[in-house]
Amino acid sequence: MSGLRRLHVAVLMGGWANERPVSLMSGEGVAEALETRGHRVTRIDMDRQVAARIAKAAPDVVFNALHGVPGEDGTVQGMLDLMGVPYTHSGLATSVIAIDKELTKQALVPHGIPMPGGRIVDSESLFEKDPLPRPYVLKPVNEGSSVGVAIVTEDGNHGNPIARDAEGPWQEFGRLLAEPYIRGRELTVAVIDGAEGPRALTVTELVPKSGFYDFDAKYTEGMTEHVCPAQVPDEIARLCMDIAVRAHRLLGCKGCSRTDFRWDDEQGEDGLFVLETNTQPGMTPLSLVPEQARQCGMSYEDLVEALVAEALARQEEGGSGAHG
């Protein structure tokens, strides 16, 4: 991809979401990669004056390295659309849907994408009775990246019913998504847009050393083993990659996405379920998308430039940003 003309790229990072530290690492990695390829980079740490700062910088393109709200939920995408500035990754409508786990299910399940059954519950109701048979999972409806996830088990220390003072996402969020807990293995697939359309890279299995792939396990070196490519049967790998591309298309993702799965390996293909599709996957040195790209012979710098090239191609096709 190094045939890209020399550009002025604003890298948008940081912000005020839970994932700020990760976003800063992603953004710095992206900025350094672009600079090594000869591009001019303006680093912008997201704040309330971000529109004025982008306007003043007047970049050719914005690389969106934000994670969580407001960089992943459509807010920043809408602002950049209004400003007429092209940007990487998914557009407004896709971002609104993909960050909301309930809307994602409504978009994917009718098209045959397997997802765990579940329902939205008021946190207050959890202190009276369980919404589902144990074990089950509780997670915020619209936070990314394993933030605030609790697994409620028979022998856990949450109490039965859940105690009001027990530590968990019910302390922070008024509404939560309750889903049956799927035993088994954690798999993930990155999808990248190219000239021929979206393609899946490979399948990674995430093996957390603590027993659960939570926020700390995801972002602390040494806490999770990445088995890439995953040691799974060929038909499961093919199915994961096929489903990830279909989810990317159905949601209207752009640039790249990452779809996370649980696989109950005792159930074969029937045991595979999509948990979510991330429209702003991490771009840190530890992150899964750069790792899968390397596995497929694509350097980190190539990956970053490919995302920038895709954003510019989209602008040429139909105006600013991403629509859909």
Side-chain angles (χ1 to χ4, degrees):
M1 279 307 308
S2 50
L4 204 57
R5 65 187 169 88
R6 188 171 179 276
L7 298 164
H8 177 198
V9 184
V11 178
L12 198 50
M13 58 177 125
W16 49 85
N18 285 323
E19 297 173 72
R20 171 181 169 80
V22 184
S23 171
L24 288 171
M25 283 173 18
S26 285
E28 190 52 43
V30 165
E32 287 175 10
L34 288 166
E35 285 171 341
T36 65
R37 287 285 168 92
H39 302 291
R40 182 177 154 218
V41 175
T42 300
R43 293 161 172 80
I44 297 180
D45 188 344
M46 172 84 181
D47 62 12
R48 306 287 179 185
Q49 281 71 52
V50 67
R53 292 170 65 199
I54 291 170
K56 185 178 177 195
D60 297 309
V61 61
V62 167
F63 193 107
N64 183 358
L66 293 164
H67 304 313
V69 179
E72 198 167 349
D73 67 347
T75 305
V76 160
Q77 290 78 5
M79 174 192 78
L80 292 168
D81 283 344
L82 285 173
M83 294 174 71
V85 180
Y87 54 90
T88 63
H89 299 80
S90 296
L92 171 57
T94 296
S95 301
V96 168
I97 293 165
I99 201 166
D100 186 304
K101 294 177 175 72
E102 194 176 17
L103 292 176
T104 300
K105 283 187 179 178
Q106 290 168 7
L108 297 182
V109 172
H111 294 276
I113 303 287
M115 298 186 78
R119 57 196 183 94
I120 306 294
V121 296
D122 289 322
S123 295
E124 202 55 34
S125 70
L126 298 170
F127 311 129
E128 291 163 29
K129 66 179 197 310
D130 286 335
L132 299 172
R134 297 189 181 200
Y136 63 93
V137 180
L138 290 167
K139 55 179 91 165
V141 179
N142 54 8
E143 281 276 339
S145 227
S146 320
V147 171
V149 177
I151 299 176
V152 183
T153 58
E154 286 294 356
D155 52 359
N157 54 5
H158 295 113
N160 196 349
I162 292 171
R164 208 171 269 278
D165 57 356
E167 198 177 310
W170 45 85
Q171 303 280 12
E172 267 185 89
F173 303 96
R175 295 168 76 238
L176 294 166
L177 176 64
E179 290 180 340
Y181 174 73
I182 297 161
R183 67 159 296 284
R185 299 158 68 176
E186 192 98 21
L187 306 174
T188 193
V189 175
V191 174
I192 293 187
D193 278 328
E196 287 80 48
R199 68 182 177 105
L201 295 181
T202 186
V203 184
T204 300
E205 180 174 4
L206 306 162
V207 186
K209 295 181 180 169
S210 65
F212 177 54
Y213 187 57
D214 60 9
F215 187 79
D216 288 337
K218 187 174 274 194
Y219 293 117
T220 308
E221 190 150 15
M223 280 187 71
T224 300
E225 184 188 353
H226 296 182
V227 183
C228 179
Q231 304 298 300
V232 298
D234 288 349
E235 64 272 18
I236 296 297
R238 277 196 302 271
L239 187 58
C240 284
M241 291 167 75
D242 175 56
I243 289 171
V245 170
R246 286 174 58 212
H248 183 97
R249 287 186 192 276
L250 286 164
L251 291 167
C253 298
K254 302 293 179 190
C256 74
S257 68
R258 199 192 74 236
T259 295
D260 298 337
F261 299 84
R262 287 288 284 186
W263 179 48
D264 181 343
D265 53 10
E266 291 177 5
Q267 304 291 324
E269 293 187 8
D270 292 341
L272 189 66
F273 294 91
V274 168
L275 297 180
E276 64 179 330
T277 294
N278 301 278
T279 56
Q280 294 283 135
M283 290 289 288
T284 75
L286 276 181
S287 296
L288 293 150
V289 175
E291 184 176 63
Q292 290 197 359
R294 274 197 305 278
Q295 183 67 31
C296 296
M298 189 182 209
S299 72
Y300 183 80
E301 292 79 10
D302 284 346
L303 172 64
V304 169
E305 282 203 325
L307 293 172
V308 169
E310 194 279 333
L312 292 171
R314 216 180 323 149
Q315 183 201 34
E316 285 161 20
E317 280 166 25
S320 67
H323 303 288

